[in-house]
């Protein structure tokens, strides 16, 4: 069964983006529990308190182009159900699904 997760993947971030920038972008949708910024990969991951808050954030950014420090960023569900590590190797193979069109895609999680 396809389902959204509590983790949001933000693509195309600048090298100088800060945690504060991301908190300001998502704080109105719920409590941000964890945050990982991968400056060298131009990606960030945020875990919000619950799935409903994550869905609300992504629905909002479907209709509004998100910009941080003058650069368009792209937001989607992450394939990570929760952020459980700060190890950057975990996130090496992450790619944005589209840099020209925003899409919300529910990630199918394989049962172990």
């Amino acid at each position: 069964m396809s389902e959204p997760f509590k983790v949001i993947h933000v693509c195309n971030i600048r090298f100088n983006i800060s945690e504060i920038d991301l908190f300001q972008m998502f704080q109105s949708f719920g409590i941000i529990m964890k945050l990982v910024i991968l400056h060298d990969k131009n990606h960030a991951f945020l875990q919000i308190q619950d799935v409903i808050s994550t869905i609300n954030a992504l629905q909002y950014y479907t209709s509004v182009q998100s910009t941080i420090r003058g650069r368009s960023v792209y937001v989607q569900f992450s394939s990570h159900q929760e952020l459980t590590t700060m190890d950057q190797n975990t996130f090496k193979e992450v790619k944005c699904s589209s840099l020209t069109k925003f899409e919300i895609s529910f990630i199918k999680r394989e049962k172990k």
Side-chain angles (χ1 to χ4, degrees), residues 78-108:
S78 171
S79 59
H80 301 280
Q81 188 172 22
E82 291 190 3
L83 295 178
T84 57
T85 181
M86 299 304 271
D87 180 8
Q88 291 188 8
N89 292 329
T90 304
F91 301 100
K92 273 188 177 176
E93 298 302 319
V94 174
K95 297 178 183 175
C96 291
S97 63
S98 173
L99 293 181
T100 58
K101 180 180 175 187
F102 179 84
E103 295 179 7
I104 295 178
S105 58
F106 294 115
I107 307 301
K108 189 170 195 174

Side-chain angles (χ1 to χ4, degrees), residues 16-110:
N16 62 348
I17 193 173
S18 70
E19 291 179 356
I20 294 171
D21 295 321
L22 291 166
F23 276 108
Q24 289 175 342
M25 184 173 170
F26 291 98
Q27 69 183 354
S28 63
F29 298 102
I31 298 170
I32 298 171
M33 307 300 288
K34 297 177 186 174
L35 173 65
V36 176
I37 299 175
L38 304 174
H39 290 287
D40 59 331
K41 302 286 184 187
N42 298 333
H43 298 281
F45 296 88
L46 297 100
Q47 181 176 325
I48 298 183
Q49 66 188 12
D50 57 44
V51 175
I52 299 300
S53 298
T54 306
I55 291 169
N56 290 338
L58 291 176
Q59 285 176 340
Y60 175 78
Y61 287 115
T62 297
S63 61
V64 175
Q65 177 59 55
S66 51
T67 304
I68 301 176
R69 295 188 183 221
R71 185 173 186 161
S72 294
V73 295
Y74 304 91
V75 181
Q76 62 190 8
F77 284 114
S78 171
S79 59
H80 301 280
Q81 188 172 22
E82 291 190 3
L83 295 178
T84 57
T85 181
M86 299 304 271
D87 180 8
Q88 291 188 8
N89 292 329
T90 304
F91 301 100
K92 273 188 177 176
E93 298 302 319
V94 174
K95 297 178 183 175
C96 291
S97 63
S98 173
L99 293 181
T100 58
K101 180 180 175 187
F102 179 84
E103 295 179 7
I104 295 178
S105 58
F106 294 115
I107 307 301
K108 189 170 195 174
R109 190 175 194 290
E110 295 182 15

